Amino acid sequence: METEFTPLASTFGGLLIGAASVLLMWARGNVLGATGILTGFLSPQSSGDWSWRATILAGMMCGPLVYYFITGGLPAIEVPVSRASMIIGGFVVGIGVTFGSGCTSGHGVCGLARFSPRSIVATICFMAGTAVMVFLVRHVVGG
Amino acid sequence: MHLIVIFTTGLIFGLGISISGMANPAKVLNFFDVAGIWDPSLGFVMGGALLVTIPGYRLVFKRTHPVFSEVFSLPGTQLIDRKLVLGSATFGLGWGLAGFCPGAALPVLSTGNQDVLIFMISLVAGLLVARWAISHQARRHETGPQGQ
Protein backbone atom coordinates (compact mmCIF):
# COMPACT_ATOMS: atom_id res chain seq x y z
CA MET A 1 0.00 0.00 0.00
CA GLU A 2 1.64 3.25 -1.14
CA THR A 3 1.39 6.32 1.09
CA GLU A 4 1.83 10.00 0.33
CA PHE A 5 5.01 11.70 1.61
CA THR A 6 3.85 14.35 4.11
CA PRO A 7 6.90 16.35 5.27
CA LEU A 8 4.94 19.36 6.57
CA ALA A 9 2.26 17.52 8.52
CA SER A 10 4.79 15.03 9.88
CA THR A 11 7.20 17.77 11.00
CA PHE A 12 4.37 19.74 12.61
CA GLY A 13 3.08 16.62 14.37
CA GLY A 14 6.63 15.92 15.53
CA LEU A 15 6.97 19.46 16.92
CA LEU A 16 3.80 18.91 18.98
CA ILE A 17 5.07 15.54 20.26
CA GLY A 18 8.32 17.28 21.25
CA ALA A 19 6.43 20.14 22.92
CA ALA A 20 4.38 17.68 24.98
CA SER A 21 7.57 15.90 26.06
CA VAL A 22 9.18 19.17 27.21
CA LEU A 23 5.97 20.22 28.98
CA LEU A 24 5.84 16.99 31.01
CA MET A 25 9.51 17.29 32.01
CA TRP A 26 8.88 20.92 33.04
CA ALA A 27 5.70 20.12 34.97
CA ARG A 28 6.44 16.79 36.67
CA GLY A 29 9.99 15.90 35.72
CA ASN A 30 8.88 12.72 33.95
CA VAL A 31 9.94 11.24 30.65
CA LEU A 32 7.03 11.14 28.18
CA GLY A 33 7.44 7.48 27.29
CA ALA A 34 4.32 5.55 26.36
CA THR A 35 5.73 2.29 27.74
CA GLY A 36 6.60 3.77 31.13
CA ILE A 37 3.32 5.64 31.48
CA LEU A 38 1.28 2.58 30.53
CA THR A 39 3.26 0.19 32.76
CA GLY A 40 2.88 2.54 35.74
CA PHE A 41 -0.81 2.94 34.96
CA LEU A 42 -1.33 -0.84 35.04
CA SER A 43 0.59 -1.32 38.29
CA PRO A 44 0.75 2.04 40.11
CA GLN A 45 3.07 2.74 43.04
CA SER A 46 0.58 5.09 44.75
CA SER A 47 -2.75 6.76 44.04
CA GLY A 48 -1.03 10.06 43.18
CA ASP A 49 1.23 8.20 40.79
CA TRP A 50 -1.79 6.59 39.16
CA SER A 51 -3.85 9.77 38.78
CA TRP A 52 -1.35 11.70 36.65
CA ARG A 53 -0.87 8.66 34.41
CA ALA A 54 -4.63 8.23 33.98
CA THR A 55 -4.94 11.96 33.25
CA ILE A 56 -2.24 12.04 30.58
CA LEU A 57 -3.67 8.90 28.93
CA ALA A 58 -7.12 10.54 28.86
CA GLY A 59 -5.56 13.66 27.33
CA MET A 60 -3.79 11.55 24.70
CA MET A 61 -7.04 9.87 23.68
CA CYS A 62 -8.74 13.24 23.31
CA GLY A 63 -6.04 14.24 20.79
CA PRO A 64 -7.70 12.51 17.81
CA LEU A 65 -11.02 14.15 18.80
CA VAL A 66 -9.45 17.62 18.66
CA TYR A 67 -8.01 16.58 15.30
CA TYR A 68 -11.57 15.69 14.25
CA PHE A 69 -12.89 19.13 15.28
CA ILE A 70 -10.12 20.88 13.31
CA THR A 71 -10.05 18.79 10.14
CA GLY A 72 -13.51 17.21 10.10
CA GLY A 73 -12.07 13.69 9.89
CA LEU A 74 -10.32 11.16 12.10
CA PRO A 75 -6.61 10.47 11.54
CA ALA A 76 -6.07 7.89 8.77
CA ILE A 77 -5.36 4.37 10.02
CA GLU A 78 -4.55 2.11 7.08
CA VAL A 79 -3.54 -1.40 8.04
CA PRO A 80 -1.65 -3.29 5.33
CA VAL A 81 -1.07 -6.36 7.53
CA SER A 82 -3.21 -9.32 8.63
CA ARG A 83 -5.06 -9.67 11.93
CA ALA A 84 -2.59 -12.37 12.94
CA SER A 85 0.35 -9.98 12.39
CA MET A 86 -1.44 -7.41 14.54
CA ILE A 87 -1.97 -9.87 17.40
CA ILE A 88 1.54 -11.38 17.28
CA GLY A 89 3.11 -7.96 16.65
CA GLY A 90 1.35 -6.42 19.65
CA PHE A 91 2.43 -9.25 21.94
CA VAL A 92 6.05 -9.08 20.73
CA VAL A 93 6.06 -5.27 21.16
CA GLY A 94 4.79 -5.68 24.74
CA ILE A 95 7.61 -8.10 25.57
CA GLY A 96 10.28 -6.05 23.77
CA VAL A 97 9.46 -2.67 25.32
CA THR A 98 9.38 -4.18 28.83
CA PHE A 99 12.84 -5.78 28.52
CA GLY A 100 14.15 -2.78 26.54
CA SER A 101 12.68 -0.31 29.11
CA GLY A 102 11.09 1.95 26.52
CA CYS A 103 9.79 2.54 23.03
CA THR A 104 9.84 5.17 20.30
CA SER A 105 8.64 8.02 22.55
CA GLY A 106 10.73 7.22 25.64
CA HIS A 107 14.02 6.22 24.01
CA GLY A 108 13.58 7.70 20.52
CA VAL A 109 12.42 11.19 21.49
CA CYS A 110 13.06 11.85 25.20
CA GLY A 111 16.19 9.70 25.60
CA LEU A 112 17.87 10.91 22.42
CA ALA A 113 17.20 14.51 23.46
CA ARG A 114 19.20 13.89 26.65
CA PHE A 115 21.91 12.15 24.57
CA SER A 116 21.47 9.11 26.83
CA PRO A 117 23.82 6.36 25.58
CA ARG A 118 21.26 3.71 26.63
CA SER A 119 18.57 5.36 24.51
CA ILE A 120 20.88 5.79 21.53
CA VAL A 121 21.69 2.05 21.60
CA ALA A 122 18.00 1.15 22.15
CA THR A 123 16.86 3.36 19.24
CA ILE A 124 19.43 1.87 16.85
CA CYS A 125 18.37 -1.65 17.93
CA PHE A 126 14.63 -1.16 17.49
CA MET A 127 14.96 0.73 14.21
CA ALA A 128 17.18 -2.09 12.92
CA GLY A 129 14.72 -4.72 14.20
CA THR A 130 11.82 -2.99 12.45
CA ALA A 131 13.73 -2.62 9.18
CA VAL A 132 14.72 -6.30 9.26
CA MET A 133 11.13 -7.42 9.89
CA VAL A 134 9.67 -5.18 7.15
CA PHE A 135 12.31 -6.45 4.71
CA LEU A 136 11.60 -10.08 5.64
CA VAL A 137 7.82 -9.67 5.37
CA ARG A 138 7.81 -7.69 2.12
CA HIS A 139 10.83 -8.86 0.17
CA VAL A 140 11.70 -12.34 1.44
CA VAL A 141 8.46 -14.01 2.50
CA GLY A 142 6.05 -11.85 0.52
CA GLY A 143 8.36 -11.21 -2.45
CA MET B 1 -3.97 22.92 38.22
CA HIS B 2 -1.36 20.17 38.12
CA LEU B 3 -3.73 17.70 36.43
CA ILE B 4 -4.98 20.33 33.95
CA VAL B 5 -1.41 20.82 32.74
CA ILE B 6 -0.90 17.04 32.56
CA PHE B 7 -4.16 16.58 30.61
CA THR B 8 -3.12 19.32 28.17
CA THR B 9 0.25 17.64 27.75
CA GLY B 10 -1.48 14.40 26.79
CA LEU B 11 -3.79 16.29 24.45
CA ILE B 12 -0.89 17.96 22.62
CA PHE B 13 0.86 14.59 22.33
CA GLY B 14 -2.28 12.89 21.00
CA LEU B 15 -2.90 15.69 18.51
CA GLY B 16 0.74 15.50 17.39
CA ILE B 17 0.46 11.75 16.84
CA SER B 18 -2.77 12.27 14.86
CA ILE B 19 -1.30 14.95 12.59
CA SER B 20 2.09 13.28 12.11
CA GLY B 21 0.89 10.02 10.53
CA MET B 22 2.61 7.94 13.25
CA ALA B 23 -0.71 6.22 14.00
CA ASN B 24 -0.99 5.02 10.41
CA PRO B 25 0.69 1.61 10.11
CA ALA B 26 0.86 1.90 6.31
CA LYS B 27 2.98 5.06 6.58
CA VAL B 28 5.14 3.76 9.41
CA LEU B 29 5.93 0.48 7.65
CA ASN B 30 6.70 2.31 4.40
CA PHE B 31 9.34 4.36 6.24
CA PHE B 32 11.25 1.15 6.84
CA ASP B 33 10.68 -0.16 3.32
CA VAL B 34 13.59 1.66 1.70
CA ALA B 35 13.92 -1.18 -0.80
CA GLY B 36 10.26 -0.81 -1.82
CA ILE B 37 7.63 1.94 -1.54
CA TRP B 38 9.63 4.25 0.74
CA ASP B 39 7.84 7.09 2.58
CA PRO B 40 10.38 9.19 4.55
CA SER B 41 7.66 10.98 6.61
CA LEU B 42 8.45 9.22 9.91
CA GLY B 43 11.95 10.69 9.84
CA PHE B 44 10.37 14.15 9.83
CA VAL B 45 8.25 13.25 12.87
CA MET B 46 11.30 12.24 14.90
CA GLY B 47 13.28 15.19 13.56
CA GLY B 48 10.51 17.63 14.45
CA ALA B 49 10.20 16.19 17.94
CA LEU B 50 13.96 16.35 18.61
CA LEU B 51 14.04 19.92 17.28
CA VAL B 52 11.90 20.84 20.29
CA THR B 53 13.10 18.38 22.95
CA ILE B 54 16.86 18.98 22.57
CA PRO B 55 16.75 22.74 23.32
CA GLY B 56 13.58 22.39 25.44
CA TYR B 57 15.11 19.86 27.85
CA ARG B 58 18.24 22.03 28.15
CA LEU B 59 16.08 24.93 29.32
CA VAL B 60 14.02 22.78 31.69
CA PHE B 61 17.12 21.19 33.27
CA LYS B 62 18.34 24.67 34.23
CA ARG B 63 15.62 24.61 36.88
CA THR B 64 16.46 23.09 40.25
CA HIS B 65 13.26 21.01 40.17
CA PRO B 66 10.06 20.60 38.10
CA VAL B 67 7.07 22.87 38.77
CA PHE B 68 4.81 20.29 40.42
CA SER B 69 7.42 17.90 41.79
CA GLU B 70 10.49 17.91 44.03
CA VAL B 71 12.80 16.05 41.65
CA PHE B 72 13.30 15.10 38.02
CA SER B 73 12.50 11.39 37.65
CA LEU B 74 15.13 10.34 35.15
CA PRO B 75 16.14 6.71 34.53
CA GLY B 76 18.83 5.90 37.09
CA THR B 77 20.70 3.23 35.20
CA GLN B 78 23.38 3.87 32.57
CA LEU B 79 23.84 0.17 31.92
CA ILE B 80 23.92 -1.00 28.31
CA ASP B 81 23.28 -4.72 28.65
CA ARG B 82 21.89 -7.68 26.73
CA LYS B 83 18.42 -6.99 28.12
CA LEU B 84 18.35 -3.49 26.61
CA VAL B 85 19.75 -4.56 23.25
CA LEU B 86 17.69 -7.73 22.79
CA GLY B 87 14.54 -6.15 24.26
CA SER B 88 14.76 -3.17 21.90
CA ALA B 89 15.49 -5.37 18.90
CA THR B 90 12.47 -7.52 19.84
CA PHE B 91 10.31 -4.42 20.06
CA GLY B 92 11.49 -3.52 16.56
CA LEU B 93 10.51 -6.94 15.18
CA GLY B 94 7.01 -6.50 16.63
CA TRP B 95 6.74 -2.93 15.33
CA GLY B 96 7.71 -4.20 11.89
CA LEU B 97 4.99 -6.85 12.04
CA ALA B 98 2.11 -4.68 13.27
CA GLY B 99 3.09 -1.14 12.23
CA PHE B 100 1.95 0.34 15.56
CA CYS B 101 4.21 1.39 18.42
CA PRO B 102 2.76 2.01 21.92
CA GLY B 103 2.85 5.84 21.82
CA ALA B 104 1.12 5.97 18.45
CA ALA B 105 -1.53 3.40 19.31
CA LEU B 106 -2.62 4.79 22.72
CA PRO B 107 -4.10 8.10 21.47
CA VAL B 108 -6.02 6.54 18.56
CA LEU B 109 -7.72 4.00 20.83
CA SER B 110 -10.46 6.63 21.02
CA THR B 111 -11.18 6.32 17.29
CA GLY B 112 -12.71 2.89 17.95
CA ASN B 113 -10.51 1.33 15.29
CA GLN B 114 -10.56 -2.47 15.75
CA ASP B 115 -6.94 -3.08 14.76
CA VAL B 116 -5.70 -0.57 17.36
CA LEU B 117 -7.81 -2.23 20.02
CA ILE B 118 -6.51 -5.69 19.15
CA PHE B 119 -2.94 -4.41 19.05
CA MET B 120 -3.29 -2.78 22.49
CA ILE B 121 -4.81 -5.91 24.09
CA SER B 122 -1.94 -8.04 22.72
CA LEU B 123 0.58 -5.40 23.82
CA VAL B 124 -0.73 -5.37 27.39
CA ALA B 125 -0.67 -9.19 27.40
CA GLY B 126 2.97 -9.19 26.26
CA LEU B 127 3.82 -6.51 28.79
CA LEU B 128 2.32 -8.47 31.68
CA VAL B 129 3.99 -11.72 30.62
CA ALA B 130 7.38 -9.98 30.38
CA ARG B 131 6.93 -8.30 33.79
CA TRP B 132 6.00 -11.65 35.32
CA ALA B 133 9.08 -13.27 33.75
CA ILE B 134 11.36 -10.51 35.05
CA SER B 135 10.00 -10.65 38.61
CA HIS B 136 10.01 -14.47 38.56
CA GLN B 137 13.66 -14.43 37.49
CA ALA B 138 14.52 -11.87 40.19
CA ARG B 139 12.83 -14.02 42.85
CA ARG B 140 14.67 -17.14 41.72
CA HIS B 141 17.88 -15.16 41.82
CA GLU B 142 17.16 -14.12 45.41
CA THR B 143 16.19 -17.52 46.76
CA GLY B 144 18.39 -19.59 44.45
CA PRO B 145 21.71 -19.65 46.35
CA GLN B 146 19.99 -20.51 49.65
CA GLY B 147 18.07 -23.35 48.07
CA GLN B 148 21.19 -24.99 46.73
Side-chain angles (χ1 to χ4, degrees):
Chain A
M1 187 187 292
E2 282 197 47
T3 50
E4 194 194 342
F5 175 44
T6 53
L8 281 180
S10 289
T11 305
F12 183 59
L15 293 174
L16 290 179
I17 294 168
S21 307
V22 173
L23 199 57
L24 186 65
M25 190 59 79
W26 172 82
R28 275 197 59 91
N30 288 100
V31 168
L32 208 172
T35 300
I37 291 172
L38 184 64
T39 304
F41 172 77
L42 293 172
S43 47
Q45 317 251 303
S46 66
S47 67
D49 185 63
W50 187 81
S51 64
W52 81 265
R53 292 168 194 274
T55 307
I56 198 167
L57 287 172
M60 282 184 187
M61 289 182 211
C62 289
L65 309 177
V66 174
Y67 180 87
Y68 180 82
F69 284 122
I70 298 171
T71 66
L74 287 170
I77 302 175
E78 301 156 299
V79 179
V81 302
S82 67
R83 240 330 117 77
S85 298
M86 200 49 88
I87 295 170
I88 299 166
F91 190 77
V92 172
V93 167
I95 290 180
V97 295
T98 305
F99 281 100
S101 312
C103 55
T104 326
S105 47
H107 281 309
V109 173
C110 298
L112 287 194
R114 296 193 299 123
F115 302 105
S116 149
R118 253 173 79 81
S119 291
I120 294 169
V121 169
T123 306
I124 292 170
C125 290
F126 67 67
M127 294 298 251
T130 315
V132 165
M133 183 54 82
V134 170
F135 186 80
L136 284 176
V137 168
R138 293 198 174 173
H139 302 285
V140 179
V141 180
Chain B
M1 185 58 204
H2 167 212
L3 289 182
I4 295 172
V5 174
I6 299 300
F7 181 85
T8 311
T9 302
L11 194 73
I12 295 171
F13 182 85
L15 184 62
I17 290 287
S18 305
I19 295 172
S20 68
M22 278 298 288
N24 188 351
K27 271 185 94 66
V28 171
L29 293 174
N30 284 354
F31 174 76
F32 292 98
D33 193 11
V34 182
I37 41 175
W38 192 44
D39 177 355
S41 303
L42 176 59
F44 287 72
V45 182
M46 285 195 78
L50 288 171
L51 218 56
V52 179
T53 47
I54 291 174
Y57 270 10
R58 287 197 142 213
L59 278 176
V60 170
F61 289 143
K62 282 187 180 157
R63 299 178 57 94
T64 50
H65 61 86
V67 181
F68 302 111
S69 176
E70 305 282 302
V71 284
F72 289 106
S73 314
L74 297 172
T77 175
Q78 296 280 322
L79 198 67
I80 295 172
D81 55 2
R82 226 173 53 171
K83 200 173 135 203
L84 178 84
V85 169
L86 293 180
S88 298
T90 303
F91 159 42
L93 295 177
W95 195 15
L97 261 183
F100 282 122
C101 61
L106 277 171
V108 292
L109 269 176
S110 60
T111 61
N113 180 287
Q114 265 194 11
D115 282 292
V116 181
L117 193 66
I118 287 169
F119 172 81
M120 279 310 298
I121 293 170
S122 305
L123 185 149
V124 169
L127 213 133
L128 294 175
V129 166
R131 280 177 63 89
W132 175 82
I134 289 172
S135 69
H136 186 73
Q137 199 183 25
R139 264 204 309 278
R140 241 184 27 191
H141 206 71
E142 269 170 31
T143 54
Q146 289 156 347
Q148 281 163 1

